[in-house]
Amino acid sequence: MLGTGILKGMVETAKNFAGSYHDPERLTTVEYPEQRIAPKENARQFPMLIHDTEDPMKGLRCVACQICEKECPPQCIYIVKSKDKRADYKGQMQFYPATFDIDISVCMSCQICVEVCPFESIKMDTEFELSNTDRFGGLLIHKEQLAKSNEHYRKIHPADAAASDAVLAAEVAKAQAKAKADAEAKAAKAAAEAKAKADAAVAGTVPAPATSTAPQPTSPPAAPAA
Amino acid sequence: MAEVFQAIDQFPVTLKTWLLGHAAGVMPEWALPLLSAALSITPILAVFPLLFALTTVIERKGLGRIQNRRGPNRVGIPLTNIRLAGFGQFIADGIKSLTKEDIVPRSADKVVHFLAPIALLIPVLLTYSVLPFGRNMVPLDLPQTGLLFFFALGASTELSVFMAGWSSRNKYSLLGAMRAIAQMVSYEIPLILSALTVVMIAGTLSLSGIVESQAEVRFGFLHSWHLFTPWGLVGFFLFLTAAAAEANRTPFDLPEAESEIIAGYFTEYSGFKFAIFFLAEYLGLFAMCGLGITLFLGGWLPPFKFLGFIPSWCWFLGKLVALILLFIWLRGTLPRLRTDQLMGFAWKFLLPMTLINLFVAGLWHLSVTSVPMTVRWIGGFALLAIPYWLLGRGFEAKVGKREYRFAN
């Protein structure tokens, strides 16, 4: 009959009304500044720059390659490459960002910069209380504010951080293996040369030709730093 | 004891007479009627806007609870930490709307745009002049035309709604205004026809006369409210439905459907003018509820004779608050109708039902002496329930559970 549906609905809303008073479990919201919901792992707001050392400015993983700047759809990243180089976490000499600004009033939190970064350097932060009285300067975030430690990243996104750490560890292991192989090759070459010299000295007056037939250690050509 | 209760009951009246008596010696003769009018108007202007302010908070809190939220609970007394469970919210809202910029569209008809909120508020306030708020408390007792005056003013609000929609030069405003006109004209008819039953029975258009017609005591304790009759019960719900549509309340809030046409006819209003529209809308709802109380719920009369010691104006205000809470509850429950459903409901259901209700009220009146009470009740309900069921069939949901043929 007409009206029964309305009555049914009114009973339902009355149940909600009364229930929300005596059963706090029903309440879907919290009183925000005092109470907070535990952050969700997949949450993301704006990008941050990961650093590994105590001093954030010295340990930034960013090498100012500017891929993120080029890929950013709303063009909110501004990078100036440094003039000099410094050693990165692998000990390789790299550029670093002299300036790294993100305009969070423009950023649309798409995470494309994170996906294109080959250095595990730019990641998404979960900080959302970024309101500011200065809508121009206050929302242009500089690298000092963008730099966050790897521990912070591990805390907010444990799974992603573990994957990122694994990638970096693999890179370091590869670099170390290569360094070791290079060192061995060098040692072997030196030993071979020394041997050849000694042989020549033993053989007599005619020195062996410089084009040594000593087997070169099989080492791949030095790949450009990944 | 009885004198004390009567003194409290008649306190506003005695206060006014006392003030007028003292002013008679000081003020010139011609100023006394003006003072009398001012003294009658002041409580209306004090009580009902305050009730509006509290209603906005209660509505937001109630809707919040219905949706399992807390609702506003922060703003209390300014500059202190006292929160009053959020009941200071209306002060903050008022300050906000008073200090906001008043924007008038460049191509708007500026005079009409300015006049529209005023033309809405004044008739709405005038409707309060004929409502009996308590025993001997009716600011303007029109013995011949009270109800007519109310409906005439209620109908004139349509003009201001269209003024607002037309002068804004905005398609959403105009859409809202057109919807409002269509809705208000359609629902005015069932509204008046459902109120007409009471006029037939009471035999008067005076609203205080209608209240007095319900003062008769049955079975030694029950006041004979018109609600306690078959036609009165049905008429009251028909009246409430039509009143909700007249006051643009959910589920009939098409003229200002936020999700479709922004804010309807007051899309282009901001700041204080918007606040006036908001105020007038709620005052119109309160006036409609007050009329429903007067017609069907015995006005300022208590339901039971032994509760008569509570002041009459408390009964009126209590019933008014109860009806407002009912409207908030409905708003939290019902979704908005579609325009065709709205029109169909008015013309295919409400109008026939009110006509049948008029017929039943006539039969009830004619059979007062000749037919026993139980037969009148059963006959009256049968005459109303069968058409209700027959007419209602067309409005039930025809769609069952949807089957996704290709997805299964």
Side-chain angles (χ1 to χ4, degrees):
Chain A
M1 205 163 75
L2 180 71
T4 48
I6 295 175
L7 290 179
K8 236 185 267 174
M10 288 180 79
V11 169
E12 192 61 36
T13 47
K15 267 187 206 156
N16 276 345
F17 182 82
S20 65
Y21 277 102
H22 71 74
D23 179 14
E25 286 291 301
R26 295 181 80 109
L27 292 172
T28 50
T29 54
V30 296
E31 297 192 69
Y32 157 61
E34 292 93 17
Q35 298 170 10
R36 280 151 193 278
I37 310 173
K40 298 272 183 293
E41 203 189 321
N42 287 343
R44 67 169 195 247
Q45 291 294 331
F46 294 114
M48 60 178 172
L49 293 176
I50 307 289
H51 67 83
D52 291 308
T53 50
E54 286 294 308
D55 180 5
M57 287 310 101
K58 286 203 176 114
L60 281 182
R61 290 179 187 170
C62 180
V63 300
C65 67
Q66 295 177 315
I67 295 176
C68 51
E69 188 184 24
K70 290 186 188 94
E71 294 286 339
C72 178
Q75 301 278 297
C76 70
I77 303 178
Y78 174 71
I79 301 172
V80 174
K81 198 183 266 195
S82 63
K83 296 275 183 290
D84 55 329
K85 286 189 174 186
R86 69 180 182 201
D88 70 354
Y89 65 100
K90 290 187 286 192
Q92 203 169 355
M93 294 310 279
Q94 297 277 20
F95 290 109
Y96 60 93
T99 307
F100 196 114
D101 293 344
I102 294 181
D103 190 347
I104 58 165
S105 66
V106 174
C107 175
M108 61 184 197
S109 308
C110 65
Q111 206 180 320
I112 287 177
C113 52
V114 176
E115 275 152 30
V116 298
C117 181
F119 299 97
E120 303 290 332
S121 165
I122 191 162
K123 296 287 174 194
M124 298 306 278
D125 201 355
T126 51
E127 176 66 43
F128 59 92
E129 285 151 321
L130 296 159
S131 61
N132 206 298
T133 49
D134 177 9
R135 66 180 170 140
F136 302 111
L139 295 177
L140 187 70
I141 307 284
H142 304 298
K143 67 173 178 177
E144 288 78 14
Q145 295 139 283
L146 286 168
K148 297 280 166 69
S149 69
N150 200 22
E151 280 67 46
H152 172 75
Y153 182 43
R154 282 187 192 126
K155 208 168 74 190
I156 59 172
H157 294 143
D160 289 354
S164 158
D165 285 348
V167 169
L168 289 178
E171 291 278 337
V172 171
K174 209 167 111 187
Q176 278 171 353
K178 197 178 136 223
K180 204 174 155 196
D182 282 352
E184 272 172 9
K186 215 180 246 173
K189 195 176 168 189
E193 271 174 11
K195 196 167 171 261
K197 236 178 230 169
D199 285 350
V202 167
T205 54
V206 183
T211 53
S212 171
T213 52
Q216 287 283 335
T218 51
S219 162
Chain B
M1 207 56 187
E3 289 88 53
V4 177
F5 286 132
Q6 204 182 354
I8 299 170
D9 185 17
Q10 291 302 303
F11 171 69
V13 181
T14 41
L15 182 68
K16 188 186 165 188
T17 345
W18 182 78
L19 282 172
L20 274 180
H22 275 73
V26 201
M27 291 176 83
E29 190 77 11
W30 56 266
L32 284 180
L34 290 179
L35 178 69
S36 168
L39 286 176
S40 298
I41 290 166
T42 313
I44 296 177
L45 285 185
V47 170
F48 288 95
L50 184 67
L51 187 64
F52 153 72
L54 290 174
T55 304
T56 55
V57 183
I58 293 169
E59 176 153 34
R60 289 170 65 185
K61 286 179 85 75
L63 289 179
R65 286 290 169 176
I66 282 172
Q67 295 156 7
N68 287 323
R69 293 183 287 113
R70 281 175 202 275
N73 61 354
R74 302 243 154 208
V75 188
I77 300 170
L79 308 176
T80 62
N81 278 330
I82 305 162
R83 278 190 178 170
L84 301 176
F87 273 92
Q89 183 72 43
F90 69 89
I91 302 171
D93 289 347
I95 293 169
K96 181 187 149 213
S97 56
L98 276 172
T99 51
K100 267 183 122 173
E101 186 187 357
D102 176 33
I103 301 165
V104 181
R106 192 188 298 157
S107 52
D109 187 337
K110 294 200 174 49
V111 178
V112 183
H113 191 266
F114 174 77
L115 283 178
I118 302 167
L120 182 62
L121 185 62
I122 287 175
V124 165
L125 280 175
L126 280 176
T127 54
Y128 283 86
S129 61
V130 291
L131 289 179
F133 300 110
R135 192 177 279 118
N136 306 327
M137 276 174 243
V138 46
L140 176 70
D141 196 4
L142 298 170
Q144 304 295 322
T145 54
L147 192 63
L148 190 65
F149 180 77
F150 189 99
F151 282 132
L153 285 169
S156 72
T157 56
E158 286 160 32
L159 172 71
S160 58
V161 165
F162 201 73
M163 278 165 74
W166 181 259
S167 66
S168 297
R169 205 180 170 113
N170 174 318
K171 60 187 169 195
Y172 297 111
S173 296
L174 193 55
L175 276 175
M178 281 157 64
R179 285 181 178 196
I181 296 292
Q183 173 176 329
M184 286 180 168
V185 169
S186 303
Y187 279 83
E188 201 112 289
I189 297 160
L191 184 79
I192 292 173
L193 284 181
S194 58
L196 217 54
T197 51
V198 176
V199 178
M200 272 169 62
I201 300 292
T204 173
L205 277 169
S206 155
L207 289 177
S208 42
I210 287 171
V211 174
E212 272 148 31
S213 76
Q214 306 175 61
E216 191 191 330
V217 178
R218 297 257 167 78
F219 317 119
F221 65 96
L222 191 68
H223 277 289
S224 64
W225 291 6
H226 290 315
L227 185 72
F228 305 145
T229 55
W231 58 267
L233 189 61
V234 172
F236 176 62
F237 284 104
L238 292 173
F239 182 87
L240 269 194
T241 315
E246 280 291 298
N248 298 335
R249 291 288 299 184
T250 345
F252 305 110
D253 62 341
L254 281 93
E256 56 205 76
E258 303 91 351
S259 49
E260 300 161 25
I261 49 172
I262 307 173
Y265 51 86
F266 49 76
T267 301
E268 291 291 0
Y269 283 88
S270 57
F272 195 52
K273 286 182 194 160
F274 179 82
I276 287 181
F277 265 115
F278 202 44
L279 172 73
E281 192 140 280
Y282 272 83
L283 288 186
L285 175 74
F286 298 165
M288 277 293 170
C289 290
L291 185 67
I293 290 164
T294 307
L295 293 176
F296 296 99
L297 301 183
W300 41 263
L301 288 166
F304 306 115
K305 194 167 187 302
F306 58 84
L307 290 175
F309 65 88
I310 298 173
S312 55
W313 40 273
C314 284
W315 278 111
F316 184 87
L317 275 181
K319 290 172 193 176
L320 183 60
V321 169
L323 280 187
I324 292 168
L325 294 180
L326 176 71
F327 273 115
I328 294 174
W329 187 6
L330 280 171
R331 182 174 172 188
T333 306
L334 299 176
R336 188 182 304 127
L337 291 180
R338 229 167 41 213
T339 308
D340 60 323
Q341 292 169 332
L342 178 93
M343 289 295 152
F345 190 67
W347 295 103
K348 292 187 202 158
F349 181 80
L350 282 184
L351 184 63
M353 276 308 291
T354 46
L355 289 173
I356 293 162
N357 200 30
L358 267 181
F359 176 68
V360 171
L363 282 185
W364 181 270
H365 187 58
L366 288 176
S367 60
V368 166
T369 47
S370 52
V371 183
M373 192 66 156
T374 42
V375 177
R376 287 165 80 204
W377 265 89
I378 295 167
F381 260 119
L383 276 177
L384 288 164
I386 293 166
Y388 176 80
W389 178 68
L390 288 172
L391 287 169
R393 281 184 313 167
F395 294 95
E396 282 174 53
K398 292 180 196 73
V399 191
K401 194 167 179 290
R402 185 181 281 189
E403 277 194 30
Y404 296 93
R405 200 150 52 92
F406 297 109
N408 289 334

